[in-house]
Amino acid sequence: MNWWLFSKQNEFDEKYPYLWICLLYVVVVVICLAVRAVTWPGNKHVDLDFFAQSVVIPVVFLTGFVQVCSIGYHVMRHYMETRLLIAARQEYKLVSFARGNITLAGWSVLTPPKATKELALRMLKLEGEFPLAAKMPLKIELEESFDFTRAGQAISRVLEPMAGKLSRYQQIEVLVWVRGGDESCSDELRRVLKRSAIATKKITFLPECPDYTQVTEWIKLAKSYVVERLLICVDLYSDEEASKQMENVTALLFTNDYVKTEGEKPVYFYQPMTGVTDVESKVPVYLRTETVSKPKQLWYTGLSRTEKYPLLEVLDQYKVVPDRLELEASLGEGSAGYQWLMLTLAADAVIYGQGDQLVAVSEQNHFAMAALSSRLTCQPDYPEEKRYTLPWEVGGIGGLMFFFGLMLSIASAGDDGKMLSGWFITIRAVLVIGLFIGMGALFTWYYGDKAYEHMGM
């Protein structure tokens, strides 16, 4: 689904010329009365034929003429209303798509212990000073162990706070990424899970750190199946490797089958906007259609100048997200794992009562943005077609008036009735009414099709 909307469409505000049409009726009736009065036989009394020929028949023909002439007016209305409907339904589709979500049922994070305790709170400036990368350790302290590697120890520690919650699920699919790791990490993870009595359905090793498109796939899947996914990202470096990036390990449980417990509130991760290159034009659409309340903070990492500055400019323009938190400013140079660490920090902020949060990330020029909230949003109403007179209906009314006028003219001419047989009336009705309905239907189809063509549909 592309994040785009049509520009605002103009409403059809052309007024129907009722006053001029009424004046036309008055003029025609006066003229016809005057003409018939002059041509009426002097020795004949004024009867119903007089009024039929001077008022009724002219009014019927005039009504047909007015209806046929007004097809142009109704054609333009149909064209503009069709464009409005196309734009409204595109917005509905996009809003419905943006409402897609999955529950972030649990998360845990492991970072260097000193200066990073309650990291989300400190970054939200609720406790102490904003942590700075230069003043904090970059390495996670782990003991030497014969049973587990450094990565295995980190996984064990990050899963420990989640063990009770994970034990409630029996069909968990685990995905693990370890920097510089290989398939052997899956075996080590399996031993860690077994020791923690966590049952799993499948374990998958990811050769590269996944991005938010992984969550998009789970959101799509959640519409038809039960989703229970545990994502573990181990962003550690070897002891020999000097790094300006802070080590971090995160574990996140995504599910659409959240088991509520007393005192717990879920965090909903809304449909991410992913793979975007044109930040300046796409982000306003996301902010407009994403339907949680105005976020309080924007967490971002990995953004280039060409992505960061247009994003911040758009946020200022729309007057949303007053606080912006760049992870690199406090945690060190960005790494692949920061996007998931950032997600846990934003989820913490939601739980801390900070309200809805927005996260933005970019890796290899693939910008992504998503929202987190403690509540679900409401589905908007589906845009229905407005009820207005279509060109084919106007043509049908015009044809009907011409047919009635023709029949009244024949009847008032004093015909003996032979011509007014059933077949004669039927053939005339089909020819006259059908001709004008067909003409109106052609205009209805043509300009409706043009509306779709001009909207690029």
Side-chain angles (χ1 to χ4, degrees), residues 290-319:
E290 197 280 319
T291 51
V292 297
S293 64
K294 187 159 88 171
K296 188 169 184 180
Q297 276 93 14
L298 166 73
W299 306 75
Y300 64 96
T301 180
L303 271 61
S304 65
R305 287 186 178 181
T306 56
E307 294 164 333
K308 178 166 64 176
Y309 293 115
L311 171 61
L312 300 183
E313 186 176 347
V314 168
L315 294 176
D316 288 335
Q317 179 183 351
Y318 282 76
K319 298 180 180 179

Coordinates of all heavy atoms in Angstrom, one line a residue, residues 290-319:
E290 N -2.7 8.4 9.9 CA -2.5 7.6 11.1 C -3.4 8.1 12.2 O -3.4 9.3 12.5 CB -1.0 7.6 11.5 CG -0.6 6.5 12.4 CD -1.0 6.9 13.8 OE1 -0.8 8.0 14.2 OE2 -1.4 6.0 14.5
T291 N -4.2 7.2 12.8 CA -5.4 7.7 13.5 C -5.3 7.7 15.1 O -6.3 7.8 15.7 CB -6.6 6.9 13.1 OG1 -6.3 5.5 13.3 CG2 -7.0 7.2 11.7
V292 N -4.1 7.5 15.6 CA -4.0 7.6 17.1 C -3.9 9.1 17.4 O -3.7 9.9 16.5 CB -2.8 6.8 17.7 CG1 -2.9 5.4 17.4 CG2 -1.5 7.4 17.1
S293 N -4.0 9.4 18.7 CA -4.0 10.9 19.0 C -2.6 11.4 18.8 O -1.6 10.7 18.5 CB -4.4 11.1 20.5 OG -3.4 10.5 21.3
K294 N -2.4 12.7 18.9 CA -1.2 13.4 18.6 C 0.0 12.9 19.5 O -0.1 12.9 20.7 CB -1.3 14.9 18.8 CG -0.1 15.7 18.4 CD -0.4 17.2 18.1 CE -0.3 18.0 19.3 NZ -0.5 19.4 19.1
P295 N 1.0 12.3 18.8 CA 2.1 11.7 19.6 C 2.8 12.8 20.4 O 2.9 13.9 20.1 CB 3.0 11.1 18.6 CG 2.2 11.0 17.4 CD 1.2 12.1 17.4
K296 N 3.4 12.4 21.6 CA 4.1 13.3 22.4 C 5.6 13.4 22.1 O 6.2 14.4 22.1 CB 3.9 12.9 23.9 CG 4.5 13.9 24.8 CD 4.0 13.7 26.3 CE 4.5 14.8 27.2 NZ 4.1 14.5 28.6
Q297 N 6.2 12.2 21.7 CA 7.6 12.2 21.4 C 7.8 11.5 20.1 O 7.1 10.6 19.7 CB 8.4 11.4 22.5 CG 8.8 12.2 23.7 CD 7.8 12.1 24.8 OE1 7.0 11.2 24.7 NE2 7.9 13.0 25.8
L298 N 8.9 11.9 19.4 CA 9.4 11.2 18.2 C 10.8 10.7 18.6 O 11.7 11.4 19.0 CB 9.6 12.2 17.1 CG 10.4 11.7 15.9 CD1 9.7 10.6 15.1 CD2 10.8 12.8 15.0
W299 N 10.9 9.4 18.5 CA 12.2 8.7 18.7 C 12.8 8.4 17.3 O 12.1 7.8 16.5 CB 12.0 7.4 19.5 CG 11.3 7.5 20.8 CD1 10.0 7.7 21.0 CD2 11.9 7.5 22.1 NE1 9.7 7.7 22.3 CE2 10.8 7.6 23.0 CE3 13.2 7.3 22.6 CZ2 11.0 7.6 24.4 CZ3 13.4 7.3 23.9 CH2 12.3 7.4 24.8
Y300 N 14.0 8.8 17.0 CA 14.5 8.4 15.7 C 16.0 8.1 15.8 O 16.7 8.5 16.6 CB 14.3 9.6 14.7 CG 15.0 10.9 15.0 CD1 16.2 11.2 14.4 CD2 14.4 11.8 15.9 CE1 16.8 12.4 14.7 CE2 15.0 13.0 16.2 CZ 16.2 13.3 15.6 OH 16.9 14.5 15.8
T301 N 16.4 7.3 14.8 CA 17.8 6.8 14.7 C 18.1 6.5 13.2 O 17.2 6.1 12.4 CB 18.0 5.5 15.5 OG1 19.3 5.1 15.4 CG2 17.1 4.4 15.1
G302 N 19.4 6.7 12.9 CA 19.8 6.4 11.5 C 19.4 7.3 10.4 O 19.7 7.0 9.3
L303 N 18.8 8.4 10.7 CA 18.3 9.3 9.6 C 19.4 10.1 9.1 O 20.2 10.7 9.8 CB 17.2 10.2 10.2 CG 15.7 9.7 10.1 CD1 15.6 8.4 10.9 CD2 14.8 10.7 10.6
S304 N 19.5 10.2 7.8 CA 20.4 11.1 7.1 C 19.9 12.5 7.1 O 18.7 12.7 7.5 CB 20.6 10.6 5.7 OG 19.4 10.8 4.9
R305 N 20.7 13.4 6.7 CA 20.3 14.8 6.7 C 19.1 15.0 5.8 O 18.2 15.8 6.1 CB 21.4 15.7 6.3 CG 22.5 15.9 7.3 CD 23.5 16.9 6.8 NE 24.6 17.1 7.8 CZ 25.6 18.0 7.7 NH1 25.7 18.7 6.6 NH2 26.5 18.2 8.6
T306 N 19.1 14.4 4.6 CA 18.0 14.5 3.7 C 16.7 13.9 4.1 O 15.7 14.1 3.6 CB 18.4 13.9 2.3 OG1 18.8 12.5 2.5 CG2 19.6 14.6 1.7
E307 N 16.8 13.1 5.2 CA 15.6 12.5 5.8 C 15.2 13.2 7.1 O 14.0 13.5 7.3 CB 15.8 11.0 6.1 CG 16.0 10.2 4.9 CD 16.6 8.8 5.2 OE1 17.3 8.7 6.2 OE2 16.4 7.9 4.4
K308 N 16.2 13.6 7.9 CA 15.9 14.2 9.2 C 15.3 15.6 9.1 O 14.3 15.9 9.7 CB 17.2 14.2 10.0 CG 17.0 14.9 11.4 CD 18.2 14.6 12.3 CE 19.4 15.3 11.8 NZ 20.6 15.1 12.7
Y309 N 15.9 16.4 8.3 CA 15.4 17.8 8.2 C 14.1 17.9 7.5 O 13.2 18.7 8.0 CB 16.5 18.7 7.6 CG 17.7 18.8 8.4 CD1 18.9 18.3 8.0 CD2 17.7 19.4 9.7 CE1 20.1 18.4 8.8 CE2 18.8 19.5 10.5 CZ 20.0 19.0 10.1 OH 21.1 19.1 10.9
P310 N 13.8 17.2 6.4 CA 12.4 17.3 5.9 C 11.4 16.7 6.9 O 10.3 17.3 7.0 CB 12.5 16.4 4.7 CG 13.9 16.4 4.3 CD 14.7 16.5 5.5
L311 N 11.8 15.7 7.7 CA 10.9 15.1 8.7 C 10.6 16.1 9.8 O 9.4 16.4 10.1 CB 11.5 13.9 9.3 CG 10.8 13.3 10.5 CD1 9.3 12.9 10.1 CD2 11.5 12.1 11.1
L312 N 11.6 16.8 10.3 CA 11.4 17.7 11.4 C 10.6 19.0 10.9 O 9.8 19.5 11.6 CB 12.7 18.2 12.0 CG 13.6 17.1 12.6 CD1 14.8 17.7 13.2 CD2 12.8 16.3 13.6
E313 N 10.8 19.3 9.6 CA 10.1 20.4 9.0 C 8.6 20.1 8.9 O 7.7 20.9 9.2 CB 10.7 20.8 7.6 CG 10.1 22.0 7.0 CD 10.7 22.4 5.7 OE1 11.8 21.8 5.4 OE2 10.2 23.2 5.0
V314 N 8.3 18.9 8.5 CA 6.9 18.5 8.4 C 6.3 18.4 9.7 O 5.1 18.8 9.9 CB 6.8 17.1 7.7 CG1 5.4 16.5 7.8 CG2 7.2 17.2 6.2
L315 N 7.0 17.9 10.7 CA 6.4 17.9 12.1 C 6.1 19.3 12.6 O 5.1 19.5 13.3 CB 7.4 17.2 13.0 CG 7.6 15.7 12.7 CD1 8.7 15.1 13.7 CD2 6.3 14.9 12.9
D316 N 7.0 20.2 12.3 CA 6.7 21.6 12.7 C 5.5 22.2 12.0 O 4.7 22.9 12.5 CB 7.9 22.5 12.5 CG 9.1 22.2 13.4 OD1 8.8 21.7 14.5 OD2 10.2 22.4 13.1
Q317 N 5.4 21.8 10.7 CA 4.3 22.4 9.9 C 3.0 21.9 10.4 O 2.0 22.6 10.4 CB 4.6 21.9 8.4 CG 3.5 22.4 7.4 CD 3.7 21.9 6.0 OE1 4.8 21.3 5.7 NE2 2.7 22.1 5.2
Y318 N 2.9 20.6 10.8 CA 1.7 20.0 11.2 C 1.5 20.2 12.7 O 0.5 19.7 13.3 CB 1.6 18.6 10.8 CG 1.3 18.3 9.4 CD1 2.2 18.6 8.4 CD2 0.0 18.0 9.0 CE1 1.9 18.4 7.0 CE2 -0.4 17.8 7.7 CZ 0.6 18.0 6.7 OH 0.3 17.8 5.4
K319 N 2.5 20.8 13.4 CA 2.4 21.1 14.8 C 2.1 19.8 15.6 O 1.2 19.7 16.5 CB 1.3 22.1 15.1 CG 1.6 23.5 14.5 CD 0.5 24.5 14.7 CE 0.8 25.8 14.1 NZ -0.2 26.8 14.3

